[in-house]
Amino acid sequence: MRNIFILINRELKTYFYSIMGYVILAMFLLIYGFVFWFLVNAFSNPQNNFNEPITNFFFGTFYYWFILIIVPPLLTMKTIAEERKSGSLELLMTASVTEFQIIISKFAASFIFYVFMWLITIYYFFLLSPHTALDWNMIFVGYLGTFLVGGVFISLGIFSSTISRNQIVAAVISFGLGLLIFSLSFISYFIDFQSVKSVLEYINIMDSTIKFSQGVLDTRPVVYFLSLIIFFNYLSVRILDSQRWR
Amino acid sequence: MISVKNLYKNYSGKYALNGISFDVSKGQILGFLGPNGAGKTTTMRIISGFLAPTSGKVFINGMDVFKHPLEIKRLIGYMPENNPIPMDLQVKEYLKFRGMLKGLKRDNLRRRIDFVVEQCRIDSVFNKLIGTLSKGYRQRVGLAETLLHDPQILILDEPTVGLDPAQIRQVRDLIRQIGTERTVILSTHILPEAEAACNCVIIINNGKIQVMDTVGNLNKIHRGAARLHLEIKNNISKFEQALSEFPDITLKKANPISDKHYSYFIESMDYDNVRETIFNTAVKTGCIILEMHREKIMLEDVFIKLVTQEKSE
Ligand SMILES: Nc1ncnc2c1ncn2[C@@H]1O[C@H](COP(=O)(O)OP(=O)(O)OP(=O)(O)O)[C@@H](O)[C@H]1O
Ligand SMILES: [Mg+2]
């Protein structure tokens, strides 16, 4: 456990000491500032008559999905691939740490940065709250969903980085796989068998995320997302371990 | 202390190691010599536990490296090829991070950091970013890091590569000093380095050990062969002709010093007799010997001989 904290601390430094971390953060805030401005304008226009709460849109625009798919590969592409390329992975693996500790701390650090990024946007809701009634429960569930899906894509990103030697390749793989897993969600719309359909609905990442954004807290997607996170991290550990036998 | 038993390593169908076995006893400084691609790095990675061998075993203090990875890692300080230390940290931060990873705490951590900083003489760059340091200093930071947990064994993969001669000497002195109470395995292409820093040498080529011996012995074995440097004047062509009648003596002309004054390299397998022969021939032909001395055979010659022998077989 101590090792994991030490490693997370070091990983976080790579985000906060490097221009990369700040660029991602700045671009994200720029885009989300725009989304917020756009939504506030749309809602305050008396011609529009929205019956839905703002969270449905805040966690549901095109920009939201775009960020979900794009940001995790950018955050994770370097993690293992870069260390392998520079040789510092060798240094890490010959200290008294296990493969599990390495993967879990890489995952945790990327996840913490991701959560940090999103948490900054909470202040938009604080800006709104004096002027309109907000359902903080829904906001909370919206963020929870965002973090969980993000966690899935981050663990997928770490996995991609574990199998690559080049960070660009890692980013492309995790982006591609992410998009593919995401697209699995659409299959359920075209299938009629009830049994298959219910399975596909269960693994439908997009619909589950939309439910979160509507403030519906269901345990099934929570369990599903958590198991995906565990699955990808487990794969990464196994692969990192197996690479010494190449 | 370290016992390497019959290592084979297969990288996707191609054997990089073909049965490497050797023992290193406590306090030895072992030099690993070999041309590019000989298998030095592969062997060191296996000893440090980073790679698994295809077959064969490594024991350290009687423990199998692959059955007790964490215990073994505590015994070893390992510096990988190209010294891959992070550029984005300060020396201070880096040593602290690595020290904590190696299980050092508070007072002990501070004490060990102070100690390695002093031993490797990096106090002047202690607060600097590693990325801004010169290569020599980075190398010393890498060495300091390997010493943090006071390991019994140091494995250094080409610790002096890319340094200028003054830095090479400093790092080499440092290694020798560090090595007084530790077992060290270091790899290098630079032969004088092995001669200067090590007390035992392994020459490896194509994944096989060609020679394993002490530096002193290696030089002794090849003592039989001699290479003389000779300077003579007067009656040079007569001297050359007379000497050419001895089949086991080869005469090579070096750059002439003036038209009457020549210098030669002479090679013979018989060091004791060749000097007398030359003296007698010179007297007979009326030649004057200005200078005759023996060229020291460096490990380099031994090395090149062994490696090229292997190729021509
Ligand atoms: N990861 C790898 N995958 C495939 N082949 C490899 C790998 N690493 C090394 N090899 C091959 O194994 C052989 C031994 O390589 P190794 O790096 O051990 O040599 P070396 O003695 O350290 O050489 P150098 O002096 O250049 O550092 C080489 O032929 C190399 O091409
Ligand atoms: Mg090498």
Side-chain angles (χ1 to χ4, degrees):
Chain A
M1 210 52 203
R2 182 168 178 267
N3 276 351
I4 293 177
F5 285 128
I6 298 166
L7 288 170
I8 290 178
N9 187 357
R10 198 263 168 274
E11 283 306 312
L12 284 176
K13 278 184 188 161
T14 62
Y15 288 123
F16 289 108
Y17 282 17
S18 77
I19 192 84
M20 182 78 175
Y22 289 105
V23 169
I24 294 177
L25 192 61
M27 285 300 152
F28 171 76
L29 291 177
L30 213 60
I31 291 172
Y32 246 73
F34 172 76
V35 170
F36 178 70
W37 172 81
F38 178 85
L39 286 178
V40 169
N41 268 323
F43 269 77
S44 55
N45 187 339
Q47 281 174 353
N48 293 336
N49 218 337
F50 289 106
N51 283 324
E52 295 172 77
I54 195 166
T55 42
N56 288 13
F57 298 95
F58 194 78
F59 300 113
T61 57
F62 156 74
Y63 295 98
Y64 176 74
W65 299 110
F66 184 71
I67 281 168
L68 276 193
I69 293 281
I70 280 285
V71 166
L74 292 179
L75 286 181
T76 53
M77 61 186 195
K78 266 182 133 177
T79 48
I80 302 281
E82 184 65 18
E83 293 224 33
R84 176 177 299 120
K85 193 170 171 193
S86 75
S88 57
L89 188 64
E90 208 170 326
L91 213 45
L92 200 53
M93 289 179 68
T94 48
S96 301
V97 292
T98 61
E99 287 81 6
F100 170 75
Q101 289 169 342
I102 293 174
I103 294 292
I104 211 67
S105 51
K106 298 261 182 202
F107 170 78
S110 306
F111 188 68
I112 289 170
F113 188 86
Y114 174 85
V115 167
F116 170 76
M117 239 172 60
W118 276 103
L119 283 185
I120 295 177
T121 64
I122 281 196
Y123 100 94
Y124 297 147
F125 293 107
F126 284 115
L127 286 181
L128 278 185
S129 65
H131 308 292
T132 176
L134 288 173
D135 184 343
W136 286 98
N137 258 338
M138 285 177 101
I139 294 173
F140 169 78
V141 174
Y143 275 109
L144 183 69
T146 309
F147 297 157
L148 282 172
V149 200
V152 171
F153 287 129
I154 286 170
S155 60
L156 180 64
I158 303 272
F159 166 75
S160 312
S161 196
T162 309
I163 59 176
S164 341
R165 180 170 274 274
N166 178 316
Q167 46 171 320
I168 304 297
V169 174
V172 171
I173 293 178
S174 69
F175 176 73
L177 285 182
L179 211 54
L180 211 63
I181 292 180
F182 195 72
S183 313
L184 282 182
S185 314
F186 303 133
I187 302 178
S188 66
Y189 302 145
F190 306 114
I191 302 258
D192 282 335
F193 302 114
Q194 202 46 53
S195 55
V196 181
K197 203 176 164 87
S198 61
V199 171
L200 284 172
E201 266 163 14
Y202 182 75
I203 65 167
N204 189 327
I205 288 190
M206 196 170 84
D207 281 356
S208 307
T209 312
I210 290 174
K211 267 191 217 127
F212 279 111
S213 73
Q214 290 167 343
V216 184
L217 184 55
D218 188 353
T219 50
R220 276 175 313 173
V222 174
V223 170
Y224 174 53
F225 287 167
L226 285 179
S227 22
L228 276 182
I229 292 172
I230 292 170
F231 172 69
F232 283 126
N233 281 331
Y234 172 77
L235 272 189
S236 306
V237 173
R238 298 304 316 189
I239 286 172
L240 194 60
D241 185 41
S242 74
Q243 271 162 358
R244 73 175 72 232
W245 303 98
R246 266 175 322 166
Chain B
M1 180 113 209
I2 305 175
S3 178
V4 174
K5 296 217 152 64
N6 219 11
L7 287 188
Y8 285 82
K9 177 71 189 178
N10 191 333
Y11 283 120
S12 48
K14 195 177 144 280
Y15 275 94
L17 298 184
N18 280 303
I20 300 266
S21 307
F22 60 88
D23 289 286
V24 190
S25 48
K26 201 175 156 112
Q28 252 182 347
I29 303 186
L30 175 74
F32 233 47
L33 285 174
N36 288 122
K40 305 182 290 292
T41 300
T42 307
T43 312
M44 293 176 127
R45 282 182 174 159
I46 292 174
I47 298 175
S48 67
F50 176 68
L51 274 183
T54 306
S55 72
K57 282 204 154 62
V58 179
F59 294 97
I60 291 179
N61 286 345
M63 280 187 289
D64 188 328
V65 167
F66 283 87
K67 298 226 172 81
H68 309 270
L70 292 183
E71 287 95 322
I72 295 292
K73 285 170 183 175
R74 247 168 245 140
L75 292 178
I76 295 182
Y78 178 52
M79 182 158 125
E81 204 164 23
N82 306 323
N83 190 27
I85 54 179
M87 298 293 154
D88 60 334
L89 296 183
Q90 291 173 349
V91 174
K92 180 172 67 181
E93 285 174 307
Y94 178 60
L95 291 179
K96 195 169 158 222
F97 161 63
R98 293 294 299 188
M100 294 203 306
L101 260 196
K102 289 174 168 184
L104 302 175
K105 284 172 194 150
R106 289 189 195 89
D107 280 355
N108 195 20
L109 176 63
R110 207 167 313 128
R111 217 171 321 119
R112 284 304 303 173
I113 289 180
D114 288 347
F115 177 78
V116 299
V117 162
E118 204 211 301
Q119 186 157 39
C120 299
R121 274 171 263 127
I122 47 175
D123 33 337
S124 58
V125 298
F126 191 55
N127 289 311
K128 283 198 179 154
L129 217 54
I130 291 175
T132 66
L133 300 183
S134 74
K135 207 160 182 180
Y137 269 110
R138 273 184 221 164
Q139 216 74 8
R140 286 196 226 171
V141 172
L143 273 176
E145 190 277 328
T146 61
L147 292 172
L148 272 174
H149 57 311
D150 197 13
Q152 297 174 21
I153 298 167
L154 282 183
I155 299 180
L156 312 172
D157 200 348
E158 298 190 25
T160 59
V161 72
L163 301 185
D164 72 38
Q167 290 283 340
I168 288 183
R169 165 161 288 150
Q170 285 181 8
V171 170
R172 190 194 295 158
D173 288 345
L174 184 57
I175 291 171
R176 210 168 7 197
Q177 185 192 336
I178 293 166
T180 48
E181 73 259 41
R182 295 185 174 83
T183 307
V184 182
I185 301 183
L186 67 89
S187 76
T188 171
H189 299 125
I190 310 167
L191 300 138
E193 180 167 302
E195 276 184 311
C198 308
N199 41 34
C200 183
V201 170
I202 287 182
I203 297 178
I204 170 175
N205 191 26
N206 288 329
K208 278 196 208 112
I209 291 182
Q210 306 289 323
V211 177
M212 169 162 187
D213 216 332
T214 60
V215 171
N217 269 351
L218 274 183
N219 279 332
K220 222 184 280 162
I221 289 169
H222 293 269
R223 216 161 231 274
R227 191 169 141 103
L228 297 177
H229 182 243
L230 183 72
E231 267 181 54
I232 53 173
K233 70 178 199 185
N234 297 348
N235 295 327
I236 288 149
S237 51
K238 248 184 172 173
F239 173 80
E240 280 179 16
Q241 201 183 356
L243 210 61
S244 66
E245 278 157 32
F246 295 92
D248 60 333
I249 297 176
T250 52
L251 195 65
K252 269 191 222 142
K253 218 177 234 164
N255 289 335
I257 294 155
S258 70
D259 48 350
K260 278 191 200 146
H261 181 171
Y262 274 80
S263 82
Y264 297 92
F265 289 112
I266 293 169
E267 278 171 16
S268 163
M269 292 313 289
D270 190 350
Y271 179 56
D272 291 331
N273 290 328
V274 70
R275 287 174 299 177
E276 282 176 34
T277 315
I278 287 168
F279 177 77
N280 290 334
T281 315
V283 170
K284 231 187 291 168
T285 56
C287 218
I288 297 168
I289 296 181
L290 297 172
E291 186 180 334
M292 173 157 70
H293 70 260
R294 176 193 175 138
E295 300 246 293
K296 190 176 171 233
I297 291 201
M298 302 284 282
L299 202 50
E300 183 142 6
D301 297 296
V302 178
F303 174 66
I304 287 174
K305 219 179 244 163
L306 287 165
V307 170
T308 45
Q309 246 172 25
E310 172 66 14
K311 278 219 186 84
S312 56
E313 261 171 21

